[in-house]
Amino acid sequence: MGCGISSIACCFGSAACSLCCSCCPSCSNSTSSRIVYALFLFLGTIIASVMLAPGIEDKLKSIPALCSQITNCDNIVGYLAVYRVCFAMAGFFLLMALLMIKVENSRDPRAKIQNGFWGFKVIALLGIAVGAFFIPAGSFGVAMYYIGMIGGFAFILIQLVLLVDFAHSWNESWIEKKEDSDSPKCWFGLLLGATIFNYIVAIVAIVLFYVYYAHAGCSLHQFFVSFNMILCVGFSVLSITSKVQEVQPKSGLLQSSVVTVYTMYLTWSAMTNNPDGSCNPSITTIAQDIIHPGSRFNVTVPPTSQTNQVWDGESILGVIVFFVCVLYSSIRNASQSNMDRLTFNDHVVLDEENSAGDGGDDEKNAKVYDNEKDRVAYSYFFFHFMFFLAALYIMMTLSNWYRPNSDFSKLEQSLPAVWVKMSSCWICVALYVWTLVAPIVLQNREFN
C-alpha cells in the first residue's frame, strides 16, 4: 500500500524515480527519462494504429448512444483520427523541446520537468489529444499533410544518422572483439557474412524493382533504381579507398552495406507512392506472382477511399524502421561522432559514466540516479525535437503518405510524396558520404 502511494506521489513529483519495482535494474535519469518518452510515443502510435483497424467503426457504432449522442464516430476512426492523435503527440514534444532549450545540467530547474512530473505530463498529453478532436475538420487535414511531409522528410534524415551511427558502432565493436579474441577468424567471418548478406538483400531488391516497379513504361522508376544503384556502388568503393582508410581505418563495407539496404528501402518506399498504378503493384500482387510464376500480372491500385483502409507492406515496414530508430535513440549512450561531423559540432555528448555528477557510488545504488549534475548526457531540446519529427513521420506512415481533401472523403497517392522520399534518399547518401570524407576535408578537426 505504501509502495503504491509513494509511486503515485513520485509520478507527480519533480524527481526522477522508478515505479517501486524491486526487479527493475538501477539506471541513470538520462536513460530512464528517454525510455519513458519513447513509451509515450509508442503508446500514441498503437492508439493511432487501432483507429485504422478494419471494423473498428462498426464496433463503436454498436455501443448504445456513443455515436449518436456523445460523439460522431466518423471523427474518432480513420485517417483523420490518426492525424489528430499524431498532432497531439507532435504538439506535446514540440512544447517540451521549446521548454528545454539551453538546459546544460540537472541543476537547471527545467531539468526537473524533463526527468519528473510524469503524472502532469500524461495529463497534458491527454488534454492536447482530447482538444485535437474538437478542431474543425476544414483545412486541418490538408495543413497537417504538408506539415507532415516536411517533418517526415526531416525524420528520414535523422534515421540515416542513427543508422550510420549504429553501423559504425557495430563495425567497431566486432573489430575490437576480433583483435582481442583468441579466434579472430571467427569474428572476421561474422563481419564478412553480415556485409555479404546486406549486399545480397540489396541486389535481390534491385532485381525485384526492375521486374515489378521499373519495367517497360515506367521510365521514372527506371531512373530512380539505376541512379541509386550507381550511388550505392560509388560510396561503397569510396569507403575502402586508401584516403578514407588512412583517416578512418575502421570504416568499411559493413557500414556501406547497411546504408545501401536503407537506400533501397527508401527507393521502394518512394515508388509505392506513385499514383501510376501500372508502375506500383501491391505487395500481395507481387507475392502471388512470385509464388505462381506465369500467372497473369494484375496490378492492384492502392485504395484512395477512407472507407477502404488497409495496412500495406510499405506502412508495416515503415513502422518497424520507426520503432527501431526510436528505441535505439532512447538507449544509445555512445559517442556522437557522426552527428558531430554533420553539424560541425566540437562538443561530444557525454556517456553515462563520464556525465555522472557528484553522487558517486551511493547515489548509483538508487533505482534512478542523477548522472547529469555537471553536464547533460544528451541534448534535451534535440531529443524532443526529434520525437516531434517522429510523430509527424508516423502520421504520414500510418496514412500511407496519402494526400487528403478538406473533409477526408477521399485520399490519393501523390507525386509530391514520391519526390519528398527520393530527395531525402539522395540527401541521406550525401550525409553518409560526408561522414566518410569529413576527416579528409576538415583536417584541423578531430573525428575520433
Side-chain angles (χ1 to χ4, degrees):
M1 181 66 176
C3 176
I5 294 175
S6 64
S7 294
I8 295 174
C10 178
C11 286
F12 288 91
S14 61
C17 59
S18 64
L19 296 178
C20 198
C21 178
S22 59
C23 64
C24 293
S26 177
C27 68
S28 64
N29 59 356
S30 63
T31 298
S32 63
S33 295
R34 282 179 287 177
I35 292 175
V36 175
Y37 286 119
L39 290 176
F40 282 8
L41 193 61
F42 290 163
L43 182 60
T45 302
I46 293 172
I47 293 173
S49 302
V50 169
M51 291 175 174
L52 289 177
I56 189 67
E57 184 175 1
D58 295 334
K59 293 291 185 182
L60 291 174
K61 288 182 177 179
S62 66
I63 301 176
L66 175 64
C67 296
S68 59
Q69 299 179 15
I70 299 178
T71 185
N72 181 1
C73 285
D74 292 336
N75 292 330
I76 57 177
V77 295
Y79 288 129
L80 182 57
V82 171
Y83 272 41
R84 295 185 190 279
V85 171
C86 293
F87 167 82
M89 291 194 296
F92 171 79
F93 286 116
L94 180 60
L95 177 61
M96 288 295 299
L98 296 176
L99 289 174
M100 295 299 124
I101 294 176
K102 292 292 184 181
V103 175
E104 300 293 340
N105 53 58
S106 63
R107 290 190 289 270
D108 190 311
R110 291 174 295 167
K112 294 181 172 61
I113 300 176
Q114 169 73 7
N115 299 315
F117 297 107
W118 296 107
F120 290 111
K121 283 185 279 194
V122 170
I123 293 174
L125 181 56
L126 291 175
I128 298 174
V130 172
F133 280 88
F134 288 93
I135 299 176
S139 58
F140 169 77
V142 177
M144 283 301 297
Y145 169 77
Y146 288 106
I147 294 173
M149 289 265 284
I150 298 171
F153 169 85
F155 188 73
I156 289 174
L157 304 185
I158 292 176
Q159 283 182 337
L160 187 277
V161 175
L162 294 173
L163 192 72
V164 171
D165 180 64
F166 166 74
H168 278 292
S169 301
W170 181 12
N171 187 68
E172 290 173 7
S173 174
W174 281 15
I175 287 180
E176 289 175 0
K177 290 179 179 178
K178 179 177 73 72
E179 294 173 349
D180 299 336
S181 174
D182 295 331
S183 55
K185 291 183 179 179
C186 177
W187 287 105
F188 176 78
L190 289 174
L191 279 168
L192 182 62
T195 302
I196 292 175
F197 174 79
N198 288 336
Y199 277 118
I200 289 176
V201 170
I203 291 172
V204 170
I206 291 171
V207 172
L208 292 176
F209 293 164
Y210 276 119
V211 173
Y212 294 104
Y213 293 94
H215 49 78
C218 301
S219 56
L220 181 61
H221 288 184
Q222 290 174 349
F223 165 72
F224 287 159
V225 177
S226 301
F227 184 68
N228 288 353
M229 179 178 63
I230 294 172
L231 290 178
C232 291
V233 173
F235 65 66
S236 296
V237 173
L238 177 65
S239 68
I240 56 175
T241 57
S242 57
K243 280 284 188 181
V244 173
Q245 288 295 306
E246 181 180 345
V247 295
Q248 296 196 78
K250 292 185 178 180
S251 176
L253 289 177
L254 178 61
Q255 295 95 316
S256 296
S257 69
V258 173
V259 178
T260 296
V261 171
Y262 186 64
T263 301
M264 291 301 107
Y265 160 70
L266 290 179
T267 304
W268 171 67
S269 180
M271 292 189 297
T272 59
N273 280 104
N274 193 333
D276 184 356
S278 62
C279 300
N280 182 14
S282 67
I283 293 295
T284 303
T285 301
I286 295 175
Q288 290 175 349
D289 192 69
I290 293 175
I291 295 172
H292 303 288
S295 61
R296 182 175 177 80
F297 187 79
N298 297 316
V299 173
T300 301
V301 179
T304 58
S305 171
Q306 199 178 3
T307 60
N308 188 22
Q309 298 159 6
V310 296
W311 279 81
D312 61 11
E314 195 278 328
S315 296
I316 295 173
L317 189 54
V319 171
I320 293 174
V321 172
F322 158 79
F323 275 127
V324 171
C325 289
V326 169
L327 183 61
Y328 181 74
S329 68
S330 300
I331 63 177
R332 179 74 169 117
N333 300 320
S335 127
Q336 304 294 305
S337 57
N338 295 305
M339 180 63 74
D340 295 334
R341 295 173 193 170
L342 301 178
T343 60
F344 301 92
N345 184 16
D346 287 320
H347 171 64
V348 176
V349 179
L350 300 176
D351 61 21
E352 295 291 347
E353 294 181 1
N354 295 333
S355 60
D358 302 326
D361 294 335
D362 291 338
E363 189 176 65
K364 288 190 177 183
N365 289 330
K367 276 299 174 184
V368 178
Y369 58 87
D370 184 2
N371 69 321
E372 299 179 302
K373 289 183 179 179
D374 294 330
R375 180 178 291 175
V376 295
Y378 63 101
S379 169
Y380 291 175
F381 167 79
F382 182 78
F383 175 80
H384 286 295
F385 188 74
M386 182 186 72
F387 272 37
F388 159 71
L389 299 177
L392 296 176
Y393 171 82
I394 201 63
M395 179 186 77
M396 299 304 294
T397 300
L398 292 178
S399 60
N400 299 310
W401 293 73
Y402 287 173
R403 180 174 57 192
N405 59 6
S406 60
D407 61 356
F408 269 70
S409 60
K410 182 180 180 181
L411 297 100
E412 58 186 9
Q413 294 171 326
S414 61
L415 277 177
V418 175
W419 285 107
V420 163
K421 290 184 179 182
M422 282 311 307
S423 58
S424 66
C425 176
W426 294 330
I427 293 176
C428 284
V429 170
L431 290 176
Y432 175 63
V433 171
W434 172 246
T435 66
L436 296 176
V437 302
I440 301 174
V441 176
L442 304 175
Q443 297 184 5
N444 60 332
R445 296 176 61 86
E446 187 70 26
F447 294 103
N448 292 324

